[in-house]
Amino acid sequence: RAGAHGAAMEPECRVLSIQSHVVRGYVGNKAATFPLQVLGFEVDTVNSVQFSNHTGYAHWKGQVLNSDELHELYEGLKLNKVNRYDYVLTGYTRDTSFLAMVVDIVQELKQQNSNLVYVCDPVMGDKWNGEGSMYVPKDLLPVYRDKVVPVADIITPNQFEAELLTGRKIYTEKDALEVMDMLHAMGPETVVITSSDLQAPLGNDYLIALGSHRKTKADGTKITQRIRVESPKVDAVFVGTGDLFAAMLLAWTHKHPNNLKVACEKTVSAMQHVLQRTIKSAKVQAGEGNKPNSAQLELRMVQSKKDIENPEIIVKATVL
């Protein structure tokens, strides 16, 4: 049977994921590692922090890794000549020197492997009731804009982050497409605006995400594929969803390299499955009429293994 042999022969694909670690729950590396492993990737994790739980709880305790310590870990890999990666994945960071060190490492890894793909979620802030605010120090913006995004290949900002990076506000879908073009011009060939406050054609119960993939053909001409994804809003505040999204987008763009539509459909559909399972379970735990707390709203990751591996497509994308 060629099937079993064929699967074993698929070249191993290795991801360096530099993100937070929590003892309890699912954010950062805890949200990214399991999905990537289930989808067949080797994942090497650097834990940028080690906390007891995410900071949305009443209490949290733990340690933070500094840029020197990050460099030291990377040096260890390099000394053993195992610093060859196919992907680098990064998310939430609070420290400019740590972020600058990440850029140095990505650049060096790209010298090792010119095909390396850097997937960056430029986590800086979000909008609440239409008002945007940053939840990382302001001095991270220029580092993301001038150093990180230019070496990134895939970026997953939300609308507010896309506006920060380009200095341009988004009011219409046309604005959003122009902002994505500006982001392409800064470096990344794939841009996904993961959430926006744009009016969804399907109505107010839906959230719009937009994607754009720019490819340069052999003759030097550029072609851009653009898509819109409308997914049902889920009535709860989850933590770790962006980390899960970026990890699954990495996996599905790898498996469908020239089809952003299918990659986004699988990513967003899997998200929906996980969130629906989580909210259902959280409501049961909280009990009738009670609002679920942080612990009850932790993503049901392990329970969603099958949905992550092989998501039933419940959200379709529109090619623009």
Side-chain angles (χ1 to χ4, degrees):
R1 289 210 340 278
H5 185 64
M9 290 309 293
E10 194 178 313
E12 91 168 10
C13 200
R14 211 167 257 281
V15 181
L16 178 64
S17 182
I18 306 174
Q19 299 194 61
S20 316
H21 170 79
V22 287
V23 175
R24 170 66 179 258
Y26 293 96
V27 298
N29 272 335
K30 283 282 292 283
T33 306
F34 178 72
L36 285 167
Q37 288 173 329
V38 155
L39 289 165
F41 293 79
E42 282 288 350
V43 187
D44 292 4
T45 52
V46 172
N47 297 326
S48 54
V49 309
Q50 170 166 259
F51 284 174
S52 53
N53 45 264
H54 74 67
T55 57
Y57 285 71
H59 309 277
W60 71 90
K61 296 275 183 194
Q63 298 82 37
V64 177
L65 195 74
N66 67 35
S67 55
D68 290 340
E69 292 163 333
L70 168 62
H71 184 250
E72 194 182 348
L73 290 173
Y74 176 70
E75 282 301 307
L77 297 171
K78 198 162 126 185
L79 287 169
N80 289 312
K81 298 186 171 56
V82 288
N83 59 333
R84 193 188 182 285
Y85 289 93
D86 303 287
Y87 287 90
V88 173
L89 176 61
T90 65
Y92 180 76
T93 308
R94 289 194 62 83
D95 181 70
T96 50
S97 65
F98 191 89
L99 196 53
M101 180 62 69
V102 167
V103 173
D104 289 348
I105 290 171
V106 169
Q107 283 174 319
E108 190 166 316
L109 291 173
K110 283 193 170 191
Q111 285 170 351
Q112 292 290 317
N113 173 17
S114 59
N115 293 322
L116 179 131
V117 173
Y118 174 26
V119 180
C120 171
D121 185 3
V123 183
M124 289 182 284
D126 209 342
K127 291 191 181 181
W128 287 273
N129 312 323
E131 265 309 297
S133 70
M134 287 182 72
Y135 43 57
V136 301
K138 293 220 177 349
D139 55 0
L140 265 80
L141 172 56
V143 182
Y144 272 116
R145 187 186 55 222
D146 305 333
K147 294 200 166 87
V148 181
V149 173
V151 298
D153 301 282
I154 300 177
I155 56 169
T156 58
N158 58 32
Q159 177 180 332
F160 178 61
E161 290 156 349
E163 291 174 342
L164 284 176
L165 288 168
T166 57
R168 166 134 188 227
K169 286 270 193 283
I170 294 172
Y171 301 103
T172 64
E173 192 172 276
K174 182 174 174 287
D175 292 336
L177 298 180
E178 287 170 12
V179 162
M180 290 196 292
D181 282 342
M182 291 168 75
L183 289 167
H184 284 311
M186 290 163 72
E189 70 165 28
T190 304
V191 176
V192 177
I193 296 180
T194 55
S195 65
S196 69
D197 43 26
L198 295 172
Q199 184 62 45
L202 287 173
N204 288 335
D205 296 335
Y206 287 80
L207 199 65
I208 281 197
L210 296 164
S212 179
H213 177 65
R214 175 173 290 181
K215 211 167 78 216
T216 307
K217 293 206 305 217
D219 63 1
T221 55
K222 291 184 183 346
I223 43 174
T224 309
Q225 183 195 20
R226 296 196 180 99
I227 54 147
R228 178 200 315 125
V229 190
E230 299 173 78
S231 54
K233 284 182 184 168
V234 184
D235 183 30
V237 177
F238 301 100
V239 181
T241 49
D243 308 322
L244 175 60
F245 185 98
M248 291 194 300
L249 186 70
L250 182 163
W252 291 117
T253 51
H254 176 77
K255 293 172 195 287
H256 304 283
N258 290 310
N259 197 334
L260 186 61
K261 178 180 187 290
V262 170
C264 285
E265 285 174 345
K266 289 190 176 179
T267 300
V268 175
S269 293
M271 287 297 311
Q272 279 296 315
H273 292 302
V274 174
L275 296 183
Q276 298 297 347
R277 177 173 287 107
T278 301
I279 190 82
K280 230 167 92 178
S281 165
K283 282 178 171 165
V284 170
Q285 284 186 34
E288 196 65 41
N290 298 325
K291 217 170 120 91
N293 64 26
S294 288
Q296 292 160 341
L297 284 169
E298 288 285 5
L299 297 177
R300 294 301 183 275
M301 195 74 74
V302 172
Q303 298 83 344
S304 303
K305 173 174 172 283
K306 289 192 175 71
D307 294 317
I308 293 167
E309 277 182 287
N310 190 11
E312 180 201 341
I313 305 288
I314 52 174
V315 179
K316 297 292 275 190
T318 309
V319 176
L320 301 175

